Amino acid sequence: MENRNFTRVDFSGVAAIRHDDCVISGTVKNLSLQGFNSETSGPLPLNTPLKVAIRLSSNTFIYLNTQAIYFLGLYFGMKICKIDVGSFVLLRDIILSKCHDQMLLMHETYKMAHCIH
């Protein structure tokens, strides 16, 4: 957890996390272009593909393919594996609005290019 290489910002949002035929609700606490931390209403499998929708407004969502890579206390650390272009732009805009360092975020965007589809 201390090896983070991406700008992480505080964020409060609701997420629906799907694995197999189960949907678990989560509360996103912070996020980066690489992933996010979420408190969930139930357990999640580690290192298993998960589909996540983070609600930004009544009709705006960030859609992600992720993996839970660690569990610490009440929180799961989620790594982004795939993200569509529109969702990536929304995620990047949230982070930029809180950190204001465009050059740093551009560098981080290049690092995540392999995940954007």
Side-chain angles (χ1 to χ4, degrees):
M1 194 161 97
E2 296 305 317
N3 294 328
R4 294 181 178 144
N5 295 316
F6 284 73
T7 302
R8 185 166 294 271
V9 298
D10 290 335
F11 178 81
S12 181
V14 177
I17 304 165
R18 176 181 293 278
H19 70 91
D20 296 330
D21 292 331
C22 183
V23 177
I24 296 191
S25 64
T27 303
V28 178
K29 300 296 184 179
N30 59 57
L31 47 77
S32 74
L33 292 181
Q34 188 176 39
F36 62 95
N37 288 336
S38 182
E39 183 177 1
T40 64
S41 62
L44 294 171
L46 294 178
N47 303 312
T48 300
L50 305 166
K51 293 191 180 282
V52 177
I54 300 173
R55 179 184 290 259
L56 300 181
S57 69
S58 62
N59 60 353
T60 306
F61 294 85
I62 295 174
Y63 297 101
L64 310 159
N65 290 354
T66 68
Q67 288 185 358
I69 56 172
Y70 69 83
F71 179 70
L72 184 63
L74 300 173
Y75 300 97
F76 282 93
M78 308 291 276
K79 177 183 176 184
I80 296 171
C81 300
K82 278 189 173 181
I83 184 170
D84 65 77
V85 172
S87 292
F88 185 82
V89 169
L90 291 169
L91 178 60
R92 186 180 176 284
D93 287 349
I94 291 168
I95 296 166
L96 184 58
S97 73
K98 297 184 180 204
C99 87
H100 307 292
D101 188 339
Q102 289 183 338
M103 292 300 287
L104 177 61
L105 281 181
M106 185 56 69
H107 178 70
E108 292 175 3
T109 296
Y110 288 132
K111 288 178 161 181
M112 290 299 294
H114 68 282
C115 295
I116 304 168
H117 64 94

